Amino acid sequence: MIIEVRAKNCYVFQEEIAFSMKADMRNKKFGTNVYTENNFNVLKTAGVYGPNNAGKTCLIKCIRAIKAVLLNNKSGLMSNIFANNPVCELGITFMALGRKFSYDFKYDTKKEEFVYEAFSEILKDKYNNEKEVCWLKRDIENEDYECVDDGILPMISVVSKNNLLCYIIDTSKFERIDEMKEILVGFAEKIDVINMNNIPMGHTIELMKNKNQLQQKVVDFIKNADLYMDNFEYVDMDKIRIKSADDEKPEENVLDLPENIMDQIRLVSTYKGVHVPSMLFDSTGTKKIAAIASYVIEALQQGRILVVDELDSSIHFKLTRAIVALFNNELNMNAQMIFTVHDINLMDCKRMFRKEQIWFVHKDVERVYVYSLADFTAQKGVRDTSDIMEKYRKGALGALPDPDLINSLISISGNAKGDDAYDK
């Protein structure tokens, strides 16, 4: 599970930001929203609010980039365009195997080199005191190197810088660094990052092909989300019948369609006994529910981390609320969801969230700020019992667009009157 994400000089973030999933256990409210293991307490969900183009998606991009780097894939990292510095800095603290780890790296986007990386384990004693134990440190700029496997130290300064150390050397010869690689890869493989405005159906299709318990849970999820749907299934092409004007069978060249399109046609929804291809007849919202269903069910079943950009896109607020409730539920043992959202109906500290589960991204002329509702104390007039939605509407929490639409309206109206006058 993700505990903290750090970024500096990445995408829109020029100054360092930190997004935390650490639970404040001084607050006993909604204890089921917290995952606890070995004295570590991590939030199961967090929602990120803010105006368009403020940086919410960039936060998701940071998580996506960290995953890509840890899996030795193309990261798409970009340094801040307003900073004269090509070096991006990213870091993540996470739970894996019941233990807490931290990994940070710096990547020079111009030279395409990793100029720094560090991996540590954070130990906690019975008094909740934390101690950081360094496994690896490779600071090329300052020529500062540390490693728990002494045999690696002589080679750290001379190996290639175009990749992480664990992908450059044969880690099987070094016990602890090999373990580090397994931890990092295992953690990264559990992260799913999706954008609801461009969510692929392929993941759901693959699960629907397998007639098993997981597939049935996906079907139940979709059916419960659409009250008018009798069934949702992946069927053979000969079971699909679309009535044409002459009620004739489709021409044979329909089989020349790309395989991914054919797969989508074979996803069938049933309404009042009538079977119809989902991609042709279902609404955008229903198709998005079908697409995200597999990610949600798989995350809950397998303890995965689901990161969703624009969770509420084309989905009814009651459904987004229900999805979040699934992750906050006490039956969810170790799955986690982080999402960006605009729907303030989810901003509910009376029935749904702890204060530290609601985050904001705010941008002004100087920089981008990432902060939590927990930063607003009772002394500042924000309590768990406060009407958070109302405070947000009034701008008391920031991260709210302030469009000067009245000037645009006057301008448009004025132009229209001017055009009329000209015509006359």
Side-chain angles (χ1 to χ4, degrees), residues 11 61 64-66 68-69 73-78 105 107 114:
Y11 305 114
K61 283 183 177 180
R64 190 194 298 272
I66 290 171
V69 167
N73 296 328
K74 289 283 186 181
S75 66
L77 268 173
M78 291 177 57
F105 63 87
Y107 181 71
F114 289 90

Side-chain angles (χ1 to χ4, degrees), residues 180-197:
M180 179 195 82
K181 183 178 180 180
E182 288 184 8
I183 291 168
L184 291 174
V185 171
F187 164 69
E189 286 179 339
K190 284 192 170 186
I191 302 174
D192 293 312
V193 183
I194 57 176
N195 184 332
M196 288 299 290
N197 290 318

Side-chain angles (χ1 to χ4, degrees), residues 333-347:
M333 301 306 294
N334 56 356
Q336 189 179 48
M337 183 168 71
I338 298 169
F339 57 93
T340 68
V341 67
H342 291 284
D343 182 7
I344 63 173
N345 287 289
L346 283 175
M347 198 182 289

Side-chain angles (χ1 to χ4, degrees), residues 29-34 43-47 49 311 317-329 337 339 343-358 384 389:
K29 192 173 183 180
F30 297 129
T32 60
N33 294 14
V34 179
L43 298 170
K44 295 178 182 178
T45 64
Y49 286 86
L311 175 65
F317 77 88
K318 284 194 174 183
L319 295 180
T320 56
R321 194 179 180 100
I323 291 172
V324 175
L326 284 173
F327 283 84
N328 279 339
N329 195 282
M337 183 168 71
F339 57 93
D343 182 7
I344 63 173
N345 287 289
L346 283 175
M347 198 182 289
D348 189 348
C349 285
K350 294 181 181 179
R351 303 174 188 85
M352 226 175 154
F353 283 127
R354 299 160 65 94
K355 285 172 66 175
E356 66 266 33
Q357 288 180 277
I358 297 176
D384 291 335
M389 288 179 267

Side-chain angles (χ1 to χ4, degrees), residues 123 129 145 151 176 272 276 288 303 344 350 353 361 363:
L123 305 176
N129 297 312
Y145 309 107
R176 300 300 294 281
K272 297 181 180 179
V276 295
K288 287 187 177 184
I344 63 173
K350 294 181 181 179
F353 283 127
V361 176
K363 182 169 69 172

Side-chain angles (χ1 to χ4, degrees), residues 374-393:
D375 294 332
F376 295 86
T377 62
Q379 287 74 26
K380 295 179 181 179
V382 180
R383 298 176 174 81
D384 291 335
T385 55
S386 300
D387 188 338
I388 304 301
M389 288 179 267
E390 185 61 23
K391 286 186 176 294
Y392 183 64
R393 286 193 194 97

